[in-house]
Amino acid sequence: MTDDTAVEKKSIRADALRNEDALLEAAKEIFATSGVDAPVREIAARAGVGVGTLYRRFPKRSDLVVGVYKREVDACVKAAADFTGQYGPGDALTHWLKRYCQFIVTKKGLAAALYSGDPAFDALPAYFRANFEPTLQSLLQSAARAGEIRGDIDAFDLLRAIGNLASVGGTEGAEHTHRMLELMIDGLRFGAAKP
Amino acid sequence: MTDDTAVEKKSIRADALRNEDALLEAAKEIFATSGVDAPVREIAARAGVGVGTLYRRFPKRSDLVVGVYKREVDACVKAAADFTGQYGPGDALTHWLKRYCQFIVTKKGLAAALYSGDPAFDALPAYFRANFEPTLQSLLQSAARAGEIRGDIDAFDLLRAIGNLASVGGTEGAEHTHRMLELMIDGLRFGAAKP
DNA sequence: TGATAAACGGAACGATGTTCCATATTTGCA
DNA sequence: TGCAAATATGGAACATCGTTCCGTTTATCA
């Protein structure tokens, strides 16, 4: 185990922090359009930094990939709180499931990375589950308690089902995935026990 | 659809045929040890040809990968006939399952290729199933009719189960896979309806 | 503000994919 | 069998990419 996370040592220069953020943002956009094998130079250029800067922060490509994915997981989890404060339990759940679906769909190279055999990605699936499962579980419980959906759905099952649903790529695939997701959401509603 | 397969036009020069074979053989060995991302030059060198020759025969890397895998599937299927002629139904089945397991284990980059998103690999899973399923089904039927194993096992289920079994890589993983495979074979024997 | 450490950028290098064509080999024909 | 046309070959050459390295710039702090 390396202690590279959660150790905010002394002080990191402000520009270094800015650049790290810019790199993650640039990598996110480029990974989404060109996959995780996109040229390093392209990422550095979009972030407005030199490749040297990129390499100091992310010595291996996998560091960048892991960083981007964790960041997007966090953003997706955070969206749940936003939806919860903004909508009722049922709508919050619906909105979040669509948000989660979007997360999956835009991850071109995710499956490829996970199956690449590179041990650097071993921790990713656990991170996904550790963050998404409690989030969805909470949303499901709230909606079920409000009588808006059925109460016998396992969060992890649903996460995996949507993941499988979205495994067919392509532009028309996105349409298909969206329709199937709405079908599932209707299915959740159908079994609701109105109080 | 291109018409590049099954068109045996006029005559292909003998040296061209030899080189194609040498390339597939070299690629097979190198893919097994270094994965499907091994340098093109290395493959050409082991085959004893120049890179130009490699590229004329296999314009894209995926062509080589597909070629190698189909070739190995064919070899594995052919082994079934050999075992059937050489052993009794039960032993033939056992030998073939180990042979199939060996096929899976030595395919380092298989999963990565399949999940790469490259449409060039879309046809591979179907090819696997179309060849392996009838082969195993036949072996299972013969062994079941001879009363050596139980008769309620679906060929595709077993293929997939062994595939999943072997998904844990590594050198000690091979040992583990082998033990688990033998466990499964014993399981097949246990339910046999002795005639 | 000035000294100091930290961070930056991009040139440079090596490895790799891919193309191209002068040369070598095979094949069909007389 | 011997020769010319067709075919295939090999590897140099170019393009691209990952990675390193170091002179220069910038932020921090007293």
Side-chain angles (χ1 to χ4, degrees):
Chain A
M1 299 290 177
T2 63
D3 55 348
D4 49 1
T5 54
V7 187
E8 213 61 49
K9 264 292 172 62
K10 273 286 181 59
S11 60
I12 296 170
R13 266 173 55 168
D15 54 346
L17 233 54
R18 260 200 316 277
N19 283 333
E20 179 164 335
D21 203 71
L23 278 167
L24 285 172
E25 189 62 26
K28 170 189 136 189
E29 295 168 12
I30 290 185
F31 284 170
T33 56
S34 311
V36 291
D37 287 330
V40 173
R41 273 172 243 264
E42 201 180 328
I43 297 171
R46 177 180 294 228
V49 305
V51 287
T53 302
L54 188 156
Y55 270 93
R56 188 166 330 94
R57 210 78 49 203
F58 306 98
K60 290 179 301 184
R61 170 183 292 274
S62 59
D63 295 329
L64 235 191
V65 175
V66 170
V68 167
Y69 283 166
K70 284 193 174 180
R71 198 171 189 247
E72 294 200 65
V73 169
D74 295 344
C76 190
V77 166
K78 187 181 168 304
D82 295 347
F83 292 148
T84 298
Q86 204 168 347
Y87 306 102
D91 284 349
L93 173 65
T94 300
H95 274 91
W96 190 79
L97 285 178
K98 290 183 181 175
R99 176 68 176 77
Y100 170 71
C101 194
Q102 176 198 332
F103 167 86
I104 298 288
V105 168
T106 57
K107 298 301 150 292
K108 272 199 169 181
L110 220 200
L114 259 35
Y115 286 93
S116 70
D118 189 331
F121 298 120
D122 285 353
L124 269 188
Y127 190 80
F128 288 166
R129 180 166 185 178
N131 284 274
F132 283 146
E133 192 173 15
T135 299
L136 179 54
Q137 198 154 45
S138 171
L139 288 167
L140 284 171
Q141 268 180 16
S142 298
R145 266 205 273 271
E148 301 199 46
I149 64 160
R150 51 196 295 187
D152 61 344
I153 300 298
D154 180 68
F156 188 57
D157 282 350
L158 190 53
L159 286 172
R160 197 163 41 181
I162 294 177
N164 292 342
L165 217 56
S167 66
V168 284
T171 31
E172 72 303 329
E175 260 310 306
H176 170 260
T177 303
H178 196 251
R179 282 198 303 276
M180 292 302 103
L181 175 60
E182 294 197 321
L183 203 62
M184 279 192 137
I185 292 174
D186 288 347
L188 286 172
R189 287 231 162 81
F190 182 75
K194 285 286 177 197
Chain B
M1 297 290 174
T2 63
D3 56 350
D4 50 1
T5 54
V7 187
E8 212 62 49
K9 263 293 171 59
K10 274 285 181 60
S11 59
I12 296 170
R13 268 171 53 168
D15 54 346
L17 233 55
R18 259 200 317 278
N19 283 332
E20 179 165 334
D21 203 71
L23 278 167
L24 284 172
E25 190 62 27
K28 171 189 134 188
E29 293 167 13
I30 289 186
F31 285 170
T33 56
S34 310
V36 291
D37 286 329
V40 174
R41 273 171 243 264
E42 200 179 328
I43 298 171
R46 176 178 297 227
V49 306
V51 287
T53 302
L54 189 156
Y55 269 93
R56 188 168 330 94
R57 209 77 50 202
F58 305 99
K60 290 180 302 185
R61 172 182 292 275
S62 60
D63 296 328
L64 235 190
V65 176
V66 170
V68 167
Y69 283 166
K70 284 193 174 180
R71 197 170 189 249
E72 294 199 68
V73 169
D74 296 345
C76 190
V77 165
K78 188 181 168 305
D82 295 348
F83 291 148
T84 299
Q86 203 168 349
Y87 306 103
D91 284 350
L93 172 65
T94 299
H95 275 91
W96 190 79
L97 285 179
K98 289 182 182 175
R99 176 68 176 76
Y100 170 71
C101 194
Q102 175 198 334
F103 167 86
I104 298 287
V105 168
T106 57
K107 298 302 151 291
K108 272 200 170 183
L110 221 199
L114 260 34
Y115 286 93
S116 71
D118 188 331
F121 298 119
D122 285 354
L124 268 187
Y127 190 81
F128 288 167
R129 179 166 185 178
N131 283 275
F132 284 146
E133 192 173 15
T135 299
L136 178 54
Q137 197 155 45
S138 171
L139 289 167
L140 284 172
Q141 267 180 16
S142 297
R145 265 203 274 271
E148 300 200 46
I149 63 158
R150 52 196 295 187
D152 61 345
I153 300 298
D154 180 68
F156 188 58
D157 282 349
L158 191 52
L159 286 172
R160 198 164 39 181
I162 294 178
N164 293 342
L165 217 55
S167 66
V168 284
T171 31
E172 73 302 330
E175 259 310 307
H176 170 260
T177 303
H178 196 252
R179 282 199 304 275
M180 292 301 104
L181 175 60
E182 295 197 319
L183 203 60
M184 279 192 137
I185 292 173
D186 288 347
L188 286 173
R189 288 230 162 83
F190 183 76
K194 285 286 178 199

